[in-house]
Amino acid sequence: MLDLLRNNKVVAGILAIFRIYLGYQFIHAGYEKITSGGFDASGFLQGAIASSTGDHPAVQGWWATFLEHVALPNADLFSFMVQWGEVLVGIALILGLFTSFATLMGMVMNFAFLFSGTVSTNGQMILLAIFVIVAGANAGKFGLDRYAMPYIKNQINNRRNNKHKKETAIA
């Protein structure tokens, strides 16, 4: 199964559809927040904190503590990170550029929303993202990763070889 996910061209096409769908969802959500001009995460954060009490809290106490003491005092920063994070993750996934990293960052955002008591489509997006992450390079085969990743690997190898040559010449 793992070999199929990581090496099959048909699966790469299916993963591209998953990736583009996820990218669209992120870019759409982020773009709406940016263009509305008034996105402020503090109300969402306060609602999540309030949902951490009672007999059956929707938000775990440890997460509510993080939201109350870290996120809420820095609501402007978190608002900025959510808006632009969603847009950048969306762009990267649609283009298939740095696919694994973008998918991981998207999963972090989806888990943060789930931890905050919002179900929506986050669970579905995490499930699709798991396939993209597990597939590795195959998920970006029909995207810019096909060109960017070999280039980056080549640059890293050249630097290692040059460093090794300098060390050998000194010794």
Side-chain angles (χ1 to χ4, degrees):
M1 179 67 169
L2 193 59
D3 187 56
L4 180 72
L5 273 174
R6 292 190 171 179
N7 297 312
N8 188 288
K9 287 184 180 183
V10 173
V11 172
I14 294 167
L15 290 165
I17 293 168
F18 287 1
R19 192 189 78 227
I20 292 166
Y21 168 77
L22 290 169
Y24 172 78
Q25 294 298 316
F26 276 109
I27 203 167
H28 179 70
Y31 182 76
E32 279 186 5
K33 288 175 180 78
I34 290 169
T35 58
S36 71
F39 176 71
D40 180 8
S42 60
F44 175 80
L45 296 171
Q46 290 169 347
I49 294 165
S51 295
S52 67
T53 59
D55 290 338
H56 302 286
V59 176
Q60 297 283 318
W62 65 271
W63 185 253
T65 301
F66 166 77
L67 295 177
E68 185 175 5
H69 297 290
V70 178
L72 190 57
N74 299 296
D76 289 340
L77 173 63
F78 277 79
S79 297
F80 177 83
M81 290 186 342
V82 167
Q83 294 174 93
W84 288 100
E86 287 178 342
V87 167
L88 292 173
V89 164
I91 290 169
L93 289 174
I94 288 170
L95 296 177
L97 182 62
F98 307 123
T99 301
S100 293
F101 180 73
T103 304
L104 180 63
M105 292 301 100
M107 288 177 73
V108 167
M109 284 190 280
N110 283 134
F111 274 117
F113 299 143
L114 281 174
F115 290 162
S116 298
T118 303
V119 179
S120 187
T121 61
N122 296 307
Q124 168 190 312
M125 291 174 71
I126 289 170
L127 180 61
L128 293 175
I130 288 170
F131 285 104
V132 175
I133 288 284
V134 171
N138 204 30
K141 183 173 276 185
F142 298 122
L144 294 179
D145 276 350
R146 182 178 191 159
Y147 308 103
M149 298 317 286
Y151 176 79
I152 290 170
K153 286 178 185 177
N154 189 29
Q155 293 300 314
I156 291 170
N157 287 335
N158 286 342
R159 286 187 182 164
R160 283 185 187 154
N161 290 338
N162 289 339
K163 183 179 177 182
H164 180 63
K165 287 178 186 178
K166 287 180 185 177
E167 289 173 356
T168 311
I170 294 172

